[in-house]
Amino acid sequence: MTIRDLYTPGPANGAQVRKGGEKWTLILVRELRHSPEKVWQALTDPAHLREWAPFEVDGSLGTVGTTVNLTWVGTPTPLETKVTRADAPKLLEYNDTRWELEPLGNGTRLTLWHNIDRRFISWGAAGWHISFDVLDHLLSGTPMGRIVGAEAMKFSGWQRLRDEYAKQFGN
């Protein structure tokens, strides 16, 4: 049996939404046992992102002004993406996504701000929840391979998470 076979996501927690218009802002917080520098690398390096994130990029996201092609898993068309803020290892912003990293003891409090179509906000929360678990395993040296897109929706626990987040968010 592999780590992936044994993995079951925990309960929906650490999330909130800011409602307004067609897109709502998902705010998801996770405490990781890894330094901000290590987490920063996982957020900006294309090779690391391919291991856990629901998208791929063709260049580093670590420098302000950099333009990369960002492709969400399961979508055919890349989005031209410009890094608008990059203050390593504290703040990263591009398109409709913002990452904040705060030192927390020997680890990091990672906060994601992501604007998502309100009809799919609980789906996004469930997907990011699982991606954060995969990220934590990757940074701990026990990678289990990314679980994203349609594959995540088939994964044990995704529907439960989606339903729990929908109840929390009132949608």
Side-chain angles (χ1 to χ4, degrees):
M1 248 198 207
T2 68
I3 293 169
R4 188 181 181 106
D5 294 331
L6 299 172
Y7 168 70
T8 301
N13 61 24
Q16 58 181 303
V17 293
R18 294 211 175 135
K19 299 176 181 180
E22 291 302 309
K23 284 200 171 187
W24 290 0
T25 302
L26 169 67
I27 305 164
L28 191 60
V29 179
R30 180 67 65 94
E31 293 180 2
L32 300 169
R33 302 165 292 184
H34 317 285
S35 71
E37 293 78 14
K38 193 172 185 180
V39 175
W40 178 264
Q41 184 177 15
L43 295 177
T44 58
D45 180 85
H48 281 85
L49 289 163
R50 276 190 296 276
E51 296 294 319
W52 71 272
F55 60 83
E56 294 185 7
V57 291
D58 64 358
S60 174
L61 294 170
T63 306
V64 170
T66 299
T67 300
V68 300
N69 288 311
L70 182 148
T71 307
W72 290 95
V73 171
T75 63
T77 307
L79 300 172
E80 187 171 272
T81 299
K82 185 173 183 176
V83 178
T84 53
R85 295 183 73 183
D87 181 12
K90 299 175 186 172
L91 177 67
L92 177 63
E93 199 169 282
Y94 50 87
N95 289 4
D96 56 3
T97 305
R98 175 185 175 103
W99 300 94
E100 295 179 5
L101 296 81
E102 299 173 62
L104 183 67
N106 293 328
T108 303
R109 176 179 291 119
L110 178 63
T111 304
L112 166 68
W113 302 66
H114 189 193
N115 297 326
I116 300 174
D117 183 310
R118 66 184 176 87
R119 297 170 297 169
F120 302 107
I121 196 84
S122 58
W123 294 44
W128 279 115
H129 181 118
I130 291 171
S131 289
F132 279 14
D133 288 349
V134 173
L135 170 63
D136 192 38
H137 275 273
L138 175 68
L139 295 175
S140 296
T142 56
M144 61 178 170
R146 75 177 168 185
I147 305 168
V148 296
E151 179 188 4
M153 292 188 289
K154 295 175 191 171
F155 201 80
S156 173
W158 184 87
Q159 281 189 327
R160 174 187 51 80
L161 279 173
R162 184 203 58 206
D163 294 346
E164 288 174 9
Y165 282 121
K167 186 175 180 182
Q168 286 179 28
F169 302 157
N171 73 327

